[in-house]
Amino acid sequence: MAEVVILPSAVSAGELGAEFVARLVADRPDAVLGLATGSTPLPLWTALAARDLDLSRVRGFALDEYIGLPAGHPQSYRTVITREAVEPLGLTAALVHVPGDDGGPVEGAGARYEAAIAATGGVDLQVLGIGRTGHIGFNEPGSSLASATRVKTLTEQTRLDNARFFDSLDDVPRHCLTQGLGTILRARHLLLFAFGDSKAAAIAGAVEGPVSSSLPGSAIQLHPLVTVIVDEAAASQLQHADYYRFAWDNRLDFER
Ligand code: GLP
């Protein structure tokens, strides 16, 4: 079962997440981080930046990237990751990868990205947000639970949700490259964040099931080490919230 931690605010969630990253990097300065985009990871990046750690040897792999945006577009995930994570955290840009950024054709980009991840020994800690459709990365409903990095077509709901970052809905790409659910499940530790009412149904489905490709986030139930960090609003549809609070408050010393 995922460890579910319900905290009063996104700020405190970011601080707890930063603690996980800090411990990992203290142990392994060249750790491999899985990086997520969207608004959800921002409190984590803020809390991590405040710790002023040396993250210059950390290697990073973004979950996903739009297809069709020109290089340097402010909403390409390469640009977003650079602006929101690489620069504030002091990551080394050349060690941070985004699907499709190797200069090769889109065809085959998924397999090349999988090979690049495997060559590092795999992702140690994968940061995740979740979309309102229950997607993680850009694995929209129907994604195979064993999927690898590949091209996906975005749902209209996801395009509408992400239109706030673009001038108009027409400017939101229809396709993307995304790590698959199988790729995500190969990371050694998953750290899933969600904040606000709009994520409550997706979080309840992801944590409490059933496991189904119709709600891709539910794939986390197949993983042996998952930490779900949510605020009260995102936790509001969890059936077993009281138990999660009890388990967290009473965790044993070695788990702290
Ligand atoms: C995008 C990203 C996802 C992210 C989701 C939620 O679709 N590809 O990785 O989890 O948005 O975004 P937000 O965190 O802004 O709610």
Side-chain angles (χ1 to χ4, degrees), residues 36-41 63-64 66 77 128-132 135-138 140 154 158 162 164-165 178 193 195 198-199:
T37 46
S39 47
T40 304
L63 279 170
D64 43 16
Y66 292 114
Y77 282 174
L128 295 169
I130 190 165
R132 285 201 298 162
H135 68 256
I136 53 176
F138 268 138
E140 297 284 23
L154 299 174
T158 298
N162 290 359
R164 67 189 192 279
F165 298 117
T178 181
F193 295 90
F195 309 120
S198 66
K199 302 294 175 72

Side-chain angles (χ1 to χ4, degrees), residues 53-78:
L53 302 171
D54 177 5
L55 302 179
S56 60
R57 293 176 57 203
V58 165
R59 293 157 300 163
F61 287 91
L63 279 170
D64 43 16
E65 176 60 294
Y66 292 114
I67 292 177
L69 295 182
H73 187 287
Q75 291 310 324
S76 83
Y77 282 174
R78 157 58 73 188

Side-chain angles (χ1 to χ4, degrees), residues 19-90:
E19 181 64 25
F20 281 106
V21 177
R23 287 186 192 186
L24 170 66
V25 175
D27 194 41
R28 208 175 155 197
D30 65 346
V32 183
L33 271 189
L35 303 166
T37 46
S39 47
T40 304
L42 295 176
L44 170 65
W45 307 145
T46 302
L48 256 182
R51 287 180 173 235
D52 211 17
L53 302 171
D54 177 5
L55 302 179
S56 60
R57 293 176 57 203
V58 165
R59 293 157 300 163
F61 287 91
L63 279 170
D64 43 16
E65 176 60 294
Y66 292 114
I67 292 177
L69 295 182
H73 187 287
Q75 291 310 324
S76 83
Y77 282 174
R78 157 58 73 188
T79 309
V80 170
I81 286 282
T82 301
R83 185 175 62 230
E84 294 177 351
V86 173
E87 289 171 354
L89 302 184

Side-chain angles (χ1 to χ4, degrees), residues 2 9 17 26 34 55 70 87 95 98 103 110 119 125 149 161 166 174 183 187 194 196 217 221 234 240 243:
S9 68
L55 302 179
E87 289 171 354
L95 299 180
V98 172
L125 181 65
T149 306
D161 285 347
F166 292 82
R174 288 175 170 73
T183 320
Q221 294 175 53
H240 305 298
Y243 173 64

